[in-house]
Amino acid sequence: MTVAIVGAGITGLACAAELAPGERVEVFDRIPVAGGVHGWRAPETVALHRAVLRAGVAMRLGATAVRWDGEALLAVGPGGVQRLPAAALVVATGARPLTRAELGIAGGRPAGVVPAPVACHLAENGLLVGRRPCVVGGGDWAARACHELLAAGAEAVTLLAPDGPSRPLPGGVRVVEGVTPAAVEGGPRVTALLAGDERIACDAVVLAHGLAPLRNVDGAVWEGPGVVYAGSLADPATVAGAREAGARAAAEVRGLLGTEAAA
Amino acid sequence: MPPDDGHGRRDYDVVVVGGGVVGCAIAWRLSFTTARVALVEAAHDVGEGASKGNTGIATSGADCAPGTLEADLVTRSSPRWEELCASLDTPWRRIGTLAVAMSAQEERGLQHLREQAVRNGCRSELLSGSEARALEPLVSPRALAAVHIPDDGIVDSLRLVIGYAELAARNGVDVLTGAPVTGFDRDGGRIAGVRTARGRLAARFVVNAAGIEAGRISALAGGDEFEMWPRQGQYLLLDRELGGRFAKIVGGVPTELTRGIYCVPTTNGSLLLGPTAVDSSYPGEKAVDSDTLDAVFAAAQRLVPAVRRDQAIKLFAANRPASDPVYRVGPDSRVGNLVHAAGIRSTGVSSSPATADLVHSLLADAGAPVEAEDASAQTALAPLPRLLGHPDPERLLHLDPRYGQVVCACEQVTAAEIAAACAMRVPPRSLDALRKRTRAAGGRCQGTVCLAGVSFLLSLHMGMQPWEIPVGEPEATLGVAS
């Protein structure tokens, strides 16, 4: 039977490796490389990628999975459109920090309130979202954002960590702990973040708190027929955790298909 | 644009002040005539005021006060939506509203709503709770009764405003954004010119469609004195995966004060909860607060228990123009060549086509050269296909291979759609403006995945560096120079 896996990170690859001996597996990823947050050069990515290719898994890298109707997955990429009839769909598309709405941050809608992955991506390209940014969060994305922002030339970074910082931070980051972000002030650009009794003056708010599954295949955003979710919201994301999540999903797929693990 | 006379001056038959739904609809209507028309808007894009934050309901008029100009314009607009939205490449569906009563008192309110609907000539039917749930299974099992208003519809009001402006621009209307009006040149009892931050426009006639600013514009022109103030509404926008399950707009029972809280499925599949109605005095105030949002959510959940707070993808506030009286549409009593289209409060979208017709005839009555129809005018925009929900994506890729490049994964916006938006006559000049045209970065992850890529694409189209890209108004850019 055919299994479609969306997400070519460690989780998706591990799931594919488990299922490939018995099933026909195709793995999709919107970007043209495997590895997800762990990167395409990570030794585990390279090894798993080789293993799944040897096992006959079809890698559809650069194709965005857009729709699942319970029987087939529709994917669109520069190479064309593919409709893959499948008995099961594994959603292994990773996680993202919580959005402003999910954090319930009140106030107006000034410019400069930016998700951490965007701030990091821009900083890597030499684009700074603020000179005095306030990063919200305490985990991996928060630490990474502090590093990237300072490396890109930020003058002062404040970290607002509701649960305290759980990762090592670069020197010079001012840390405010134990309060949750309540509202932003300012316009047209943000001028302050309010949290508890604190008023943190800043010119950007970088959202790096918490993790939510990143799910955007229509028809598989929540539970659905034939849909298996594979992922871990552990912070930091580890290769071992991702492999485990992939293996768990593979077992769930087998349960759904009524098949046995290949010896 | 007509050539200026060397002093930054251009000549127009009609200058429309205000690029909201009302002003853009008027410009659209005038663009079918031979009149030379300009539209001036203070913000960097059209549809940045009340038109940006509304429920997206095109009401058939059942809940309008009978005998008013508002009821007249709304009911005359209602039958036109199918044809109008098809011509403006604007998503639209006539899905109907269920006004649901949850208490005996609300049930009595339904009777009043039903009588109003009859007096306005709108179709409506009184249903039991179970009949209402047969039409919309998401309605609370505790609903006692409902009025079904089958001719209400949902419209993408952002695309509607842009559609009006775009077709007007294609027919020769000069759409000047980022052009706040700074004053008027007077000649006796008439306006001779409109001074804006982008130069002076000689004007034979002026239409005041400035929304919340309409009272101030009238005063600047030496016209009638009236006061406008913002009525703030707060909203929660919920995920497409839930909104797509709704068959009907679900609302409470309107009262004297407000139409109440609605659950409105939007044309792109998300679900809007709101709005509140609180008068304020500061038009720039667009802040949400958690107490108000809690109340909105509770009111919505009372009607539809399936809504969940953690499905919210965006929280926002917007102001609609409040005034007393409402619907001040007519000539100014002091300035002979000034026509007001002001005081158009919460039904601005719903009445826009008929309001545009009315203003057209008022201008004709006042002697403006707007009676000759322009036979060469384009009557419809060519529809731009979108990947989201498209039945045959293969065909799209043959049309333009950039349909294979999905930039915003949540809303499935492709590079082809972004390129087409950037090629418009009224192009996006900010990330917000691009989102209004394409939905890019407006989905459940709110740009977490795609905003960097979207900004790089927009910067290529705008010929700017990525950090110079405005988020909204030009003063606030995505990045700062490092």
Side-chain angles (χ1 to χ4, degrees), chain A residues 4-243:
Chain A
I5 299 176
V6 183
I10 298 288
T11 304
L13 292 176
C15 183
E18 291 270 337
L19 292 171
E23 320 295 340
R24 190 180 148 226
V25 180
E26 298 201 15
V27 178
F28 297 81
D29 203 294
R30 60 187 298 273
I31 62 167
V33 293
V37 288
H38 298 284
W40 60 277
R41 282 188 299 193
E44 298 86 349
T45 303
V46 174
L48 269 171
H49 195 175
R50 276 202 197 118
V52 300
L53 286 174
R54 266 202 307 273
V57 170
M59 297 295 290
R60 310 292 184 201
L61 299 178
T64 305
V66 295
R67 243 178 271 165
W68 168 252
D69 63 8
E71 293 172 354
L73 179 70
L74 185 76
V76 177
V81 178
Q82 190 189 354
R83 186 176 179 276
L84 178 69
L89 173 73
V90 177
V91 178
T93 40
R96 56 162 176 82
L98 301 179
T99 61
R100 180 173 168 187
E102 288 162 342
L103 293 169
I105 298 177
R109 296 199 69 78
V113 182
V114 186
V118 175
C120 290
H121 190 165
L122 294 174
E124 285 159 13
N125 288 277
L127 199 163
L128 195 57
V129 295
R131 286 190 197 86
R132 294 172 295 109
C134 175
V135 177
V136 178
D140 217 25
W141 273 113
R144 196 177 144 197
C146 291
H147 280 284
E148 300 275 7
L149 289 162
L150 287 167
E155 289 157 17
V157 175
T158 305
L159 181 76
L160 176 75
D163 311 317
S166 66
R167 307 283 285 157
L169 297 170
V173 173
R174 180 170 88 96
V175 179
V176 178
E177 285 183 55
V179 282
T180 52
V184 289
E185 278 185 359
R189 175 167 284 277
V190 65
T191 53
L193 177 67
L194 308 183
D197 295 331
E198 296 271 347
R199 184 182 179 283
I200 301 164
C202 57
D203 61 355
V205 172
V206 176
L207 305 176
H209 185 61
L211 282 174
L214 178 59
R215 297 179 69 166
N216 46 29
V217 181
D218 278 358
V221 172
W222 300 335
E223 70 287 352
V227 176
V228 170
Y229 172 68
S232 146
L233 296 181
D235 190 358
T238 61
V239 168
R243 292 189 87 117

Side-chain angles (χ1 to χ4, degrees), chain A residues 30 62 64-67 74 76-82 96-102 104-118 121-122 125-131 152-153 183 188-189 203 214-223, chain B residues 239-242 245 286-290 308 310-316 387-391 393-394 397 401 403-410 412 444-453 455-456 466-467 471-473 475-482:
Chain A
R30 60 187 298 273
T64 305
V66 295
R67 243 178 271 165
L74 185 76
V76 177
V81 178
Q82 190 189 354
R96 56 162 176 82
L98 301 179
T99 61
R100 180 173 168 187
E102 288 162 342
I105 298 177
R109 296 199 69 78
V113 182
V114 186
V118 175
H121 190 165
L122 294 174
N125 288 277
L127 199 163
L128 195 57
V129 295
R131 286 190 197 86
R189 175 167 284 277
D203 61 355
L214 178 59
R215 297 179 69 166
N216 46 29
V217 181
D218 278 358
V221 172
W222 300 335
E223 70 287 352
Chain B
D239 197 281
R240 260 189 319 118
E241 201 78 348
L242 174 74
R245 299 180 190 176
K286 289 190 182 177
V288 294
D289 66 89
S290 48
R308 286 193 350 228
D310 63 4
Q311 294 159 345
I313 65 169
K314 186 175 180 177
L315 317 169
F316 67 99
L387 174 64
L388 182 64
H390 197 280
E394 196 97 40
L397 265 80
Y403 277 106
Q405 208 179 320
V406 179
V407 180
C408 165
C410 295
Q412 300 174 10
R444 61 179 65 95
C445 89
Q446 289 287 296
T448 301
V449 174
C450 72
L451 195 64
S455 57
F456 291 140
W467 57 87
V471 175
E473 291 302 314
E475 310 85 65
T477 52
L478 177 66
V480 294
S482 53

Side-chain angles (χ1 to χ4, degrees), chain B residues 103-465:
Chain B
S103 69
Q105 191 193 349
E106 288 173 0
E107 219 175 332
R108 286 190 291 278
L110 284 185
Q111 211 54 52
H112 178 69
L113 174 62
R114 179 99 168 85
E115 283 159 21
Q116 263 193 347
V118 170
R119 287 179 64 194
N120 288 331
C122 298
R123 292 202 296 159
S124 67
E125 49 184 338
L126 191 58
L127 304 177
S128 68
S130 58
E131 286 168 331
R133 279 194 304 284
L135 285 179
E136 176 51 83
L138 290 165
V139 165
S140 168
R142 302 170 70 164
L144 299 177
V147 166
H148 180 218
I149 304 158
D151 291 329
D152 282 1
I154 53 172
V155 61
D156 183 333
S157 50
L158 305 177
R159 294 262 300 275
L160 176 69
V161 178
I162 290 161
Y164 278 137
E166 178 71 9
L167 188 51
R170 282 173 189 262
N171 286 334
V173 172
D174 290 332
V175 176
L176 277 73
T177 54
V181 170
T182 53
F184 291 89
D185 294 332
R186 297 283 304 268
D187 180 9
R190 298 173 70 85
I191 297 169
V194 181
R195 291 198 298 267
T196 79
R198 290 183 61 188
R200 179 185 182 277
L201 284 64
R204 294 171 71 184
F205 289 85
V206 172
V207 176
N208 175 14
I212 294 169
E213 300 293 330
R216 197 178 59 79
I217 291 293
S218 184
L220 265 182
D224 295 333
E225 285 167 27
F226 56 91
E227 203 188 331
M228 304 288 312
W229 62 91
R231 181 165 294 160
Q232 200 211 43
Q234 296 192 21
Y235 299 85
L236 297 95
L237 187 65
L238 270 54
D239 197 281
R240 260 189 319 118
E241 201 78 348
L242 174 74
R245 299 180 190 176
F246 273 71
K248 295 280 169 194
I249 302 162
V250 179
V253 180
T255 67
E256 298 266 306
L257 288 173
T258 165
R259 290 185 158 77
I261 300 296
Y262 283 91
C263 304
V264 189
T266 72
T267 49
N268 59 61
S270 54
L271 182 76
L272 200 55
L273 309 182
T276 50
V278 178
D279 286 354
S280 74
S281 51
Y282 173 51
E285 185 58 51
K286 289 190 182 177
V288 294
D289 66 89
S290 48
D291 288 351
T292 304
L293 291 172
D294 287 347
V296 170
F297 182 77
Q301 197 177 36
R302 181 168 170 259
L303 303 171
V304 177
V307 297
R308 286 193 350 228
R309 187 68 191 262
D310 63 4
Q311 294 159 345
I313 65 169
K314 186 175 180 177
L315 317 169
F316 67 99
N319 291 312
R320 38 206 196 276
S323 62
D324 188 18
V326 296
Y327 270 75
R328 178 188 289 269
V329 183
D332 191 86
S333 70
R334 301 177 190 169
V335 182
N337 58 347
L338 175 63
V339 173
H340 297 293
I344 298 176
R345 43 158 199 175
S346 70
T347 48
V349 166
S350 303
S351 68
S352 57
T355 301
D357 282 352
L358 174 59
V359 170
H360 172 250
S361 63
L362 288 167
L363 283 166
D365 292 348
V370 295
E371 299 207 78
E373 297 287 324
D374 177 1
S376 67
Q378 189 180 331
T379 54
L381 295 171
L384 167 72
R386 316 244 164 188
L387 174 64
L388 182 64
H390 197 280
D392 186 7
E394 196 97 40
R395 201 171 59 78
L396 292 182
L397 265 80
H398 286 299
L399 217 60
D400 183 339
R402 288 174 296 182
Y403 277 106
Q405 208 179 320
V406 179
V407 180
C408 165
C410 295
E411 296 292 305
Q412 300 174 10
V413 183
T414 66
E417 291 154 67
I418 290 173
C422 291
M424 291 173 79
R425 294 290 173 85
V426 185
R429 293 193 169 86
S430 70
L431 288 166
D432 274 354
L434 183 64
R435 176 180 48 77
K436 283 157 66 182
R437 285 158 179 76
T438 64
R439 303 273 317 132
R444 61 179 65 95
C445 89
Q446 289 287 296
T448 301
V449 174
C450 72
L451 195 64
V454 169
S455 57
F456 291 140
L457 268 179
L458 183 61
S459 72
L460 284 175
H461 285 289
M462 289 180 71
M464 295 170 107
Q465 296 298 326

